[in-house]
Amino acid sequence: ESLELAIERCDRPESLRETLSDMLRTPIHLLNSHYEVSLSNSNPLLHPSRLYSLWKNWHEGIVYDRIPLFYEEWTEEAAQLYILMDNELQALLDTLPVRKGSIATVLDYYESTDVLSLAHKLRSIEAFKGILAPMKEVMGGYVPDFHSRYFTEDFPYGLAIVHRLIHEKGIPSPTIDTIYDWGMEMIATIESS
């Protein structure tokens, strides 16, 4: 129904917004900052929280006998990690030139109130049904696939931006730090082998 646009270094942002809106025949709303469209608590936090809960203790030699469903078997641990990561992101947003509430908390977005309701919600989303955790077959079973986009996109790009900004602002981020460091280590371990 509409688009959102962040414009920087422009003397007449309203004029540009109007021109683009006319060209696209779609209402466009101006945002306060590019952070409102470039930061997200979706994939950059969602996937890493689940991956970490699945494989934080994985090391070379561990082989699993099955591939879990990524969302339908979402755990309370993964939901708790997701909420903690989002709390740290929300603390970052408080220091940036963004509109309050421009990025809803995960609890608000998923119409949840706590860890249990968030886990239940993520397990029950119809569009997420049947999605398998990123694994690859090896002799005797399955291992995490660190070449999956869940790793190659969400850690070094999505979560890395949040991680860097949080550290630039000096905001405590123990959960994001732990999960980010783990994911980057897993990617580096596989790339070096």
Side-chain angles (χ1 to χ4, degrees):
E1 294 179 16
S2 66
L3 298 171
E4 294 182 329
L5 175 69
I7 299 174
E8 295 184 356
R9 293 186 279 266
C10 175
D11 294 333
R12 298 176 29 219
E14 182 55 36
S15 177
L16 179 56
R17 182 210 60 80
E18 189 176 302
T19 300
L20 290 171
S21 185
D22 289 344
M23 287 173 57
L24 299 172
R25 295 187 177 116
T26 303
I28 295 178
H29 308 285
L30 285 180
L31 301 174
N32 288 353
S33 166
H34 72 279
Y35 290 124
E36 292 178 35
V37 291
S38 58
L39 292 177
S40 171
N41 55 7
S42 186
N43 289 4
L45 305 186
L46 177 74
H47 295 159
S49 62
R50 176 67 168 138
L51 296 168
Y52 182 78
S53 72
L54 281 168
W55 300 313
K56 66 182 177 281
N57 295 319
W58 182 87
H59 58 79
E60 197 73 44
I62 293 179
V63 177
Y64 300 93
D65 61 356
R66 69 181 200 69
I67 302 175
L69 291 163
F70 196 78
Y71 296 101
E72 290 171 90
E73 295 180 59
W74 195 278
T75 63
E76 291 169 22
E77 178 190 14
Q80 178 66 43
L81 291 167
Y82 190 21
I83 292 168
L84 291 171
M85 291 175 77
D86 184 52
N87 290 343
E88 294 168 10
L89 173 65
Q90 295 297 327
L92 170 64
L93 294 175
D94 287 342
T95 70
L96 298 174
V98 298
R99 288 174 293 125
K100 186 78 174 157
S102 62
I103 299 174
T105 68
V106 297
L107 290 176
D108 286 343
Y109 183 79
Y110 287 109
E111 301 169 330
S112 301
T113 56
D114 57 17
V115 168
L116 292 173
S117 60
L118 179 60
H120 174 73
K121 179 72 169 200
L122 290 167
R123 286 192 297 262
S124 67
I125 296 173
E126 196 62 36
F128 291 170
K129 294 201 180 218
I131 297 174
L132 298 172
M135 300 186 84
K136 61 183 181 180
E137 191 168 4
V138 296
M139 186 171 298
Y142 305 91
V143 296
D145 181 0
F146 297 109
H147 297 288
S148 157
R149 71 176 179 85
Y150 284 71
F151 284 96
T152 62
E153 293 176 13
D154 293 331
F155 283 96
Y157 297 102
L159 188 54
I161 294 167
V162 174
H163 182 262
R164 189 190 80 234
L165 284 170
I166 277 180
H167 283 268
E168 285 177 6
K169 297 293 184 179
I171 297 167
S173 55
T175 309
I176 286 176
D177 288 350
T178 297
I179 294 174
Y180 174 77
D181 291 346
W182 169 82
M184 295 305 290
E185 182 181 330
M186 291 299 101
I187 293 168
T189 300
I190 297 306
E191 289 177 355
S192 66
S193 60

